[in-house]
Amino acid sequence: MVVRCRSACYLYCMHTCTYAWLLLVCRNKMILSLSLFALLLVNGTGFQHTVDRRKSFSHPTTPLNVIVGDEEHILDKTQRILQDAPAFDERFDSIVRSVFPSSITNSDLEYRVVSALAERGFTTSNTLLCSSLCSDELATRLADDFAKIYGRNFNLGGLAGFPFAGNIGFQTMSGHIPDSGFCLLIYGPHVGLTRDGVVGKVEREGVSLDDICCRSAIEASNFVMGASTGVAANAFTDLQQGAVQNLVAPLVDRLKESEHPMLELPYGIYDIQKELVEGIVNQGIGDVKGGIALLGGVQINTGPD
């Protein structure tokens, strides 16, 4: 039986599998709607690790993308950081929920995720943050928020949030995880929502006209639906967009059958990205040290006001 639910949480541990439903999502003019939160705890005995030859040498270590020596408790730190979050706007929240009824704010998402991971040993000094989000500065805000807690971000993503860094990028990232440490990988597409409730557009600070969001995803969908000529698939200057067009192509029937194709588009792209990310993780999981948590969903970007 397939349950179509856009907000789920499951815990997977080597030999056991337990499920729990959890409503996640974001903050600060963005909402990660109907998220899939997967924690993959890797049993160190389950994989063959290479010998650490560095133990025979004595030299200073290289600073990684983690906050080394941070002694502040991670939940105290999170609460302190979230005090600077924008004030809750009940009127606009009602607009968001009228379109995305299961969404929550970034602040709620961050605290719930950090709390759940802290119980499993994820701290600011042993966790590497990694993301596969769109290049759009609105989309990367979510990674920026988590970076305030965990440290700098290793980017796997490109246009529309697809993991263009691929297997070699994930392998590289895995080598940066602290010894016996963890990785939090955040991924997913994004979609704009105006103050008038228009899906697929967003107000941007300093820009008078509402802008398309996500442009890459929408342009690709227009191409596969026959509404535009798209980009040359093999053009070096548009390699990523050409790939996005090919990746979105299987969604044609789904979009045509939808009463709200602009609303269906990010969910369809999320389903594709989930499969891609999980494939990359499954292939490279042997290089991960303590464990990896996957946080995926649809980000809803809104305007500055």
Side-chain angles (χ1 to χ4, degrees):
M1 179 177 69
V2 177
V3 179
R4 178 160 183 169
C5 177
R6 289 167 180 153
S7 181
C9 170
Y10 67 86
L11 175 66
Y12 175 68
C13 299
M14 295 300 287
H15 303 296
T16 61
C17 188
T18 59
Y19 293 81
W21 298 109
L22 178 65
L23 185 64
L24 297 178
V25 193
C26 4
R27 115 160 128 91
N28 194 12
K29 311 297 184 178
M30 302 162 52
I31 296 181
L32 179 63
S33 175
L34 312 163
S35 309
L36 175 65
F37 176 41
L39 174 63
L40 306 180
L41 293 181
V42 180
N43 183 335
T45 61
F47 300 98
Q48 181 67 41
H49 295 285
T50 58
V51 177
D52 188 354
R53 303 185 186 278
R54 294 175 298 172
K55 294 180 180 178
S56 60
F57 297 92
S58 176
H59 58 77
T61 57
T62 302
L64 300 175
N65 287 356
V66 293
I67 305 175
V68 178
D70 189 348
E71 297 181 355
E72 183 179 12
H73 191 281
I74 192 167
L75 294 183
D76 293 337
K77 180 177 183 178
T78 303
Q79 289 180 324
R80 174 174 57 78
I81 290 173
L82 293 181
Q83 289 178 353
D84 295 329
F88 181 74
D89 187 334
E90 185 173 351
R91 182 191 66 81
F92 187 75
D93 184 69
S94 65
I95 296 174
V96 174
R97 290 182 182 276
S98 69
V99 183
F100 300 95
S102 298
S103 59
I104 63 174
T105 66
N106 268 20
S107 297
D108 288 342
L109 172 69
E110 289 167 39
Y111 193 79
R112 293 187 192 190
V113 170
V114 172
S115 298
L117 295 183
E119 293 178 358
R120 294 162 177 84
F122 287 63
T123 69
T124 56
S125 59
N126 72 0
T127 302
L128 175 65
L129 176 65
C130 177
S131 68
S132 181
L133 303 171
C134 185
S135 306
D136 191 320
E137 70 276 9
L138 293 181
T140 57
R141 183 62 180 271
L142 181 61
D144 293 342
D145 285 345
F146 273 99
K148 295 175 184 177
I149 300 169
Y150 289 108
R152 296 186 298 275
N153 169 49
F154 189 106
N155 179 36
L156 293 176
L159 290 181
F162 283 97
F164 282 104
N167 294 320
I168 191 65
F170 185 85
Q171 181 181 0
T172 301
M173 180 278 299
S174 298
H176 299 180
I177 299 173
D179 295 340
S180 301
F182 303 94
C183 172
L184 169 59
L185 197 167
I186 304 170
Y187 72 95
H190 69 126
V191 61
L193 181 67
T194 68
R195 63 172 64 89
D196 299 323
V198 177
V199 179
K201 291 191 174 183
V202 69
E203 301 92 352
R204 295 183 187 268
E205 189 170 2
V207 180
S208 58
L209 298 177
D210 293 348
D211 188 38
I212 297 173
C213 180
C214 167
R215 179 175 294 276
S216 173
I218 293 172
E219 292 288 355
S221 68
N222 288 340
F223 170 72
V224 300
M225 297 284 283
S228 74
T229 57
V231 301
N234 297 320
F236 176 78
T237 52
D238 275 316
L239 283 178
Q240 287 195 12
Q241 185 60 21
V244 174
Q245 290 177 173
N246 292 333
L247 290 163
V248 170
L251 298 178
V252 170
D253 291 341
R254 182 170 170 176
L255 295 176
K256 287 181 177 179
E257 294 169 1
S258 174
E259 294 182 6
H260 306 287
M262 193 62 65
L263 184 60
E264 187 65 29
L265 178 61
Y267 290 122
I269 291 178
Y270 168 74
D271 290 340
I272 296 171
Q273 291 181 2
K274 176 178 178 290
E275 183 176 353
L276 289 171
V277 169
E278 290 182 353
I280 291 171
V281 170
N282 287 335
Q283 180 167 330
I285 195 69
D287 295 322
V288 175
K289 296 162 185 175
I292 183 169
L294 305 182
L295 175 64
V298 175
Q299 271 192 86
I300 304 163
N301 296 136
T302 66
D305 299 326

